[in-house]
Amino acid sequence: MNKAYMKANGSWLAWGVLVMALTFSSLCVAQTQGGESDNERWFTVDLLNTGLGEPPEEANRVTPRESIRSFLKLTDQEKYEAAAHMLNLSEFSEDEQREQGGELARQLAEIFQRGDWLSVSDLPGREDAVIEDPTGQDPRVGETRRNVEVSSLKADGETYDIRLGRYRVGEQEPVWLIMPVSVSYIPVLYEQYGPSMLESYIPERFQASFGILRIWEWIAIPAFLVFVGMVGWVVHCMVGLISKWLPSGASSIFASQIGMPAALIAMSLVTQMLLDYVVSFSAVATTTFRVLLISIMAWGVGTIALSLVDTIMLRLTRRIVGEIDDTKPRDERRLLTSLYALRRAIILITVTAVSVYILGQVQLFETLGLSILASASVLAVLVGVAGQTVLGNILSSFQLSFAKPIRIGDLVIFEGEWCYVEGIFYTFIRLRSWDERRLIVPVTYFTSKPFDNLSVKSTKMYRSLTLTLHLSADIELLRDKFLEVAKEEDSVIEHHKLLCYVTAQTGTAQTVTCYLMTSDPLAGWTAEMNVREQLLAFIRDNHPEWWPREIVVISHNDIARGEHGKRASGTESAEKDSPE
């Protein structure tokens, strides 16, 4: 029994030791590097920059905004040792802090000056760096922070963040300093954003600032732009010569269309290469160049892609379809309609992709505060007020292209006009009338009006012609002549559907209607005119008595004898031949 009791006590003792070990390890994990404790408002440290001495009075480190503002002010005055108090150098020994603190501050100042444009006003102005969002879109609004991002820079394909942390030593007031991990990034970033080799040859008097740029930059940037412009001009001329040397056709057309975008792409590449390896401007100029380069590069690539699509469509149109009308097979016209729809889809995807890429690269949603526009209500108002007509036309054009109530080359009767559909674009439809005029119709207007599509099922069309003849006309003879004449027309098909009947009559005339099936509407119109002319010629030459005549009453009295001279026989009448 004693053994069992001792065994039980030993088990409890082992469990107690295990619990104490886990508790101690948890407390150890809770401690951050450099003696920092896990506190939501600040990092607690034992010592802070002891090798630098007391911070100067002009070093305001109470808020993130004032800390960076003081750092930039001190470095502008070349007080780098004083500016080093804005860095957390806890990873360095006291001697290293004294020796390297000022140099690290100078390098960081150069990085801020030549990297992304740093807006101090965007940094939090409160001691606790609480998240403020008047729009209420940020779910963390009202949350205090103990570290904030100052800048995010790329070097050698890697991203490095410069962050401020809030530190407190004992019972002293907490201060905002560049975090140790960010201090370790300074040499790498300085290698990327530091002065170029060319700047070592610039006299010191030109290194002084003049406005937002340095003196030498006001001279170098215009020369820089002239050189890049000359590169673009040379590329544009070369592409133009290549387009002339190529044989006429799709390749030469494509080359002639990409001269300007190719020149802009070449200018962007040369500019980027010069900025990376030859010269380094201030952050204002560098940021401006970067936004322009990204936009120009994206626009140039998108334009070349669209030119390639247009060239392929042109070649397919010429090879497969040729002249756009409804005499071509339906499959070819359906293919051309699908190609137009594909072109619009490619344009829409390209524009969207380019816009998203540009916004993502230049980070407009972060730097310009456009996050307000991301709300669904604001976007709905913008789209509803400004883009209702445009978006309606775009959606209607896609509907026409995919549902295909009309196809490229269809013959339609729109508002009394006989027209071929030449093109279905984003916002309008181009129609070619029978007399070679071009009708430009908004897509929404076209779809809201009824129209006749004479090519929707087949190009065949039933035509009819009407003749008005005297009641004595021989219909059987006229029918035989009609069949004879109609069968001689090449565009008249399905001869078993040729018909000729009396469709109406009056007291003095009868209406004869002839029906014929034609291969296509326009050829049917021509056949109808030819048959009518031949039937009229047949009647005129062989049976002029078939022309309709009207009975005209000249007078009921003998005009020569006056009103009382009535004839005993009654009224006088006469027949007068008059074609109707």
Side-chain angles (χ1 to χ4, degrees), residues 196-261:
S196 61
M197 294 179 58
L198 181 63
E199 293 183 49
S200 60
Y201 300 99
I202 298 175
E204 187 174 351
R205 63 177 179 274
F206 290 106
Q207 298 280 357
S209 297
F210 182 74
I212 59 175
L213 299 175
R214 298 181 182 182
I215 296 176
W216 70 269
E217 291 177 328
W218 289 106
I219 303 173
I221 289 178
F224 181 84
L225 294 176
V226 170
F227 174 76
V228 172
M230 292 178 61
V231 172
W233 178 77
V234 171
V235 173
H236 186 274
C237 293
M238 291 178 60
V239 174
L241 290 176
I242 292 174
S243 65
K244 293 180 180 179
W245 290 340
L246 291 173
S248 59
S251 57
S252 62
I253 294 176
F254 174 70
S256 64
Q257 292 178 346
I258 64 171
M260 182 58 69

Side-chain angles (χ1 to χ4, degrees), residues 152-184:
S152 181
L153 302 170
K154 289 186 177 181
D156 299 328
E158 299 291 336
T159 301
Y160 298 91
D161 293 338
I162 304 297
R163 304 187 70 87
L164 280 170
R166 194 183 188 198
Y167 298 92
R168 183 179 185 183
V169 179
E171 298 300 324
Q172 299 179 12
E173 290 294 326
V175 294
W176 288 90
L177 306 176
I178 300 295
M179 300 184 71
V181 65
S182 298
V183 173
S184 66

Side-chain angles (χ1 to χ4, degrees), residues 152-411:
S152 181
L153 302 170
K154 289 186 177 181
D156 299 328
E158 299 291 336
T159 301
Y160 298 91
D161 293 338
I162 304 297
R163 304 187 70 87
L164 280 170
R166 194 183 188 198
Y167 298 92
R168 183 179 185 183
V169 179
E171 298 300 324
Q172 299 179 12
E173 290 294 326
V175 294
W176 288 90
L177 306 176
I178 300 295
M179 300 184 71
V181 65
S182 298
V183 173
S184 66
Y185 297 153
I186 293 177
V188 179
L189 293 174
Y190 185 75
E191 186 71 22
Q192 176 74 26
Y193 296 97
S196 61
M197 294 179 58
L198 181 63
E199 293 183 49
S200 60
Y201 300 99
I202 298 175
E204 187 174 351
R205 63 177 179 274
F206 290 106
Q207 298 280 357
S209 297
F210 182 74
I212 59 175
L213 299 175
R214 298 181 182 182
I215 296 176
W216 70 269
E217 291 177 328
W218 289 106
I219 303 173
I221 289 178
F224 181 84
L225 294 176
V226 170
F227 174 76
V228 172
M230 292 178 61
V231 172
W233 178 77
V234 171
V235 173
H236 186 274
C237 293
M238 291 178 60
V239 174
L241 290 176
I242 292 174
S243 65
K244 293 180 180 179
W245 290 340
L246 291 173
S248 59
S251 57
S252 62
I253 294 176
F254 174 70
S256 64
Q257 292 178 346
I258 64 171
M260 182 58 69
L264 293 176
I265 291 176
M267 292 168 62
S268 301
L269 295 176
V270 171
T271 302
Q272 188 63 54
M273 183 179 65
L274 293 176
L275 292 176
D276 289 340
Y277 302 104
V278 179
V279 65
S280 177
F281 296 118
S282 298
V284 176
T286 302
T287 302
T288 303
F289 277 125
R290 184 171 66 87
V291 173
L292 290 177
L293 291 178
I294 292 173
S295 303
I296 291 173
M297 182 70 71
W299 179 85
V301 173
T303 302
I304 291 177
L306 294 179
S307 299
L308 179 61
V309 173
D310 286 340
T311 303
I312 294 174
M313 284 189 57
L314 177 62
R315 186 168 184 177
L316 288 174
T317 302
R318 290 180 175 179
R319 176 177 296 183
I320 299 177
V321 179
E323 183 69 19
I324 299 176
D325 56 33
D326 63 346
T327 61
K328 298 297 179 182
R330 293 177 60 203
D331 291 340
E332 294 182 359
R333 292 186 285 116
R334 185 182 294 111
L335 173 61
L336 186 58
T337 306
S338 300
L339 289 176
Y340 267 80
L342 177 62
R343 179 182 183 275
R344 291 195 298 278
I346 292 175
I347 292 175
L348 186 61
I349 294 172
T350 303
V351 171
T352 303
V354 168
S355 302
V356 171
Y357 174 76
I358 292 175
L359 292 176
Q361 290 295 316
V362 303
Q363 297 178 348
L364 287 178
F365 285 102
E366 296 178 5
T367 59
L368 299 182
L370 295 183
S371 58
I372 300 176
L373 298 180
S375 63
S377 58
V378 176
L379 284 178
V381 172
L382 291 177
V383 171
V385 174
Q388 181 178 4
T389 303
V390 175
L391 288 178
N393 281 315
I394 291 175
L395 294 176
S396 297
S397 69
F398 276 107
Q399 177 187 358
L400 289 178
S401 298
F402 292 114
K404 293 184 176 62
I406 58 172
R407 298 179 299 271
I408 305 298
D410 278 359
L411 179 62

Side-chain angles (χ1 to χ4, degrees), residues 42-90:
W42 54 66
F43 299 103
T44 302
V45 294
D46 296 330
L47 299 172
L48 192 61
N49 294 345
T50 55
L52 299 179
E54 291 296 323
E57 294 182 358
E58 59 266 35
N60 188 343
R61 304 180 294 177
V62 177
T63 67
R65 183 183 300 168
E66 292 302 326
S67 180
I68 296 298
R69 184 175 291 164
S70 298
F71 177 83
L72 295 177
K73 181 178 180 181
L74 291 171
T75 53
D76 286 342
Q77 299 172 358
E78 297 186 357
K79 298 179 180 180
Y80 300 117
E81 286 75 14
H85 285 274
M86 310 299 173
L87 311 180
N88 186 343
L89 302 175
S90 60

